[in-house]
Amino acid sequence: MNMTRVMQIAQTHQLWVIEDCAQATGAMWDGKTVGSIGHLGCFSFYPTKNLGACGDAGAITTSNPALAAQLRKLRDHGQRQRYVYEEIGINSRLDAIQAVVLLTKLRYLNSWNAQRQAIADRYEQWLAAMPVVRPSWVEGGQSVWNQYTIRVVSPSGEANPDRPAAFRDHLRQQLQQQGVGTMVYYPVPLHLQPVYQSLGFGVGQFPVAEQVAHEVVSLPMFPELPPDQQKQVVYALKEALG
Ligand SMILES: Cc1ncc(COP(=O)(O)O)c(C=O)c1O
């Protein structure tokens, strides 16, 4: 994402920019760490994230003191002073045990992210000749590869209208049989989620999002993935794709 452009648009139209950095702890844009570019940056420390706690945790960054004070209040039941509730807040305090885990792991974040980059570089090289769509990125950005997600389509190019994800799902089964775990992030686009049905959107209204949801599959990606095991993933994929 070209964040320079996003910030220009926001400035022109006087918009707030909230960066969703959940999968991007340590990522950079134009020399700046994500979470320091917009007005607010939201980080997830869910265990599968690049910086993961031993349970649920998260953080919000801002350089705006008024926003920081408001968020501190909201996360603690709306109180600034103990037992004086100025507004309805939530309980979203970071647990001290999680903070200890995160502070310890933070020391390793850059080296883990570098290992993820090396894995992504190998995937880029090893998948180059395969009939899959590899991830793309914008010049100036530095990803931290929380996921390495490819897109796959049936060689005939025809999708089964009744089961549009059939090719991808079959491929996943074949990989699973070879001991390769994969995931789909995410199978149902936002406009088709039950919670948003009241907005009145239906199938066919966001065709790109729907198509991508049927084609994406995320390959194994974690800092400790050794090259020989990664090679097995690539061989299994090659075999499954025929
Ligand atoms: C892009 C993105 N945003 C937000 C979230 C939500 O994070 P959390 O569950 O820690 O609130 C996630 C978690 O998967 C995510 O991947």
Side-chain angles (χ1 to χ4, degrees):
M1 172 96 43
N2 184 335
M3 286 304 292
T4 309
R5 188 77 193 106
V6 169
M7 294 313 290
Q8 281 164 354
I9 294 169
Q11 200 166 14
T12 307
H13 300 280
Q14 296 189 314
L15 304 171
W16 293 99
V17 175
I18 301 175
E19 296 177 70
D20 182 346
C21 309
Q23 299 189 356
T25 309
M28 310 275 284
W29 168 256
D30 195 21
K32 291 194 191 102
T33 310
V34 301
S36 70
I37 305 166
H39 300 95
L40 293 167
C42 301
F43 290 83
S44 169
F45 303 134
Y46 185 75
T48 60
K49 297 296 193 275
N50 289 41
L51 179 62
C54 280
D56 273 308
I60 302 175
T61 52
T62 183
S63 50
N64 178 321
L67 280 179
Q70 177 66 5
L71 289 163
R72 281 200 184 97
K73 184 166 71 169
L74 287 176
R75 74 162 179 198
D76 195 13
H77 295 299
Q79 60 182 326
R80 213 167 5 181
Q81 187 187 333
R82 204 141 198 220
Y83 304 130
V84 180
Y85 303 97
E86 296 176 8
E87 59 189 302
I88 303 291
I90 50 176
N91 176 358
S92 208
R93 297 176 299 251
L94 181 69
D95 194 280
I97 299 282
Q98 300 304 345
V100 169
V101 171
L102 290 165
L103 278 173
T104 308
K105 290 177 79 176
L106 186 58
R107 288 189 226 135
Y108 303 94
L109 179 67
N110 287 343
S111 71
W112 285 335
N113 282 345
Q115 282 169 269
R116 285 176 184 269
Q117 180 66 60
I119 293 165
D121 289 344
R122 282 196 291 271
Y123 273 137
E124 283 299 297
Q125 200 187 328
W126 293 345
L127 301 184
M130 284 196 213
V132 300
V133 180
R134 288 173 284 128
S136 58
W137 55 88
V138 182
E139 202 61 41
Q142 198 180 317
S143 174
V144 287
W145 302 103
N146 181 245
Q147 309 296 342
Y148 187 89
T149 302
I150 58 170
R151 286 168 57 192
V152 291
V153 283
S154 125
S156 70
E158 279 174 31
N160 174 346
D162 297 326
R163 288 186 53 227
F167 182 77
R168 187 269 315 277
D169 293 346
H170 181 60
L171 186 90
R172 289 191 68 207
Q173 273 170 14
Q174 288 172 286
L175 291 173
Q176 189 61 55
Q177 279 160 12
Q178 299 296 319
V180 176
T182 57
M183 286 299 284
V184 172
Y185 303 107
Y186 293 91
V188 183
L190 274 185
H191 66 290
L192 300 179
Q193 291 290 347
V195 67
Y196 291 128
Q197 286 317 286
S198 60
L199 297 179
F201 294 116
V203 173
Q205 279 180 285
F206 293 90
V208 175
E210 289 165 27
Q211 186 184 343
V212 167
H214 297 143
E215 296 176 353
V216 287
V217 54
S218 298
L219 301 179
M221 165 57 83
F222 48 93
E224 302 81 8
L225 179 64
D228 58 328
Q229 280 187 26
Q230 190 183 355
K231 209 167 248 175
Q232 285 173 25
V233 171
V234 174
Y235 283 143
L237 181 65
K238 197 171 180 178
E239 208 174 285
L241 287 165

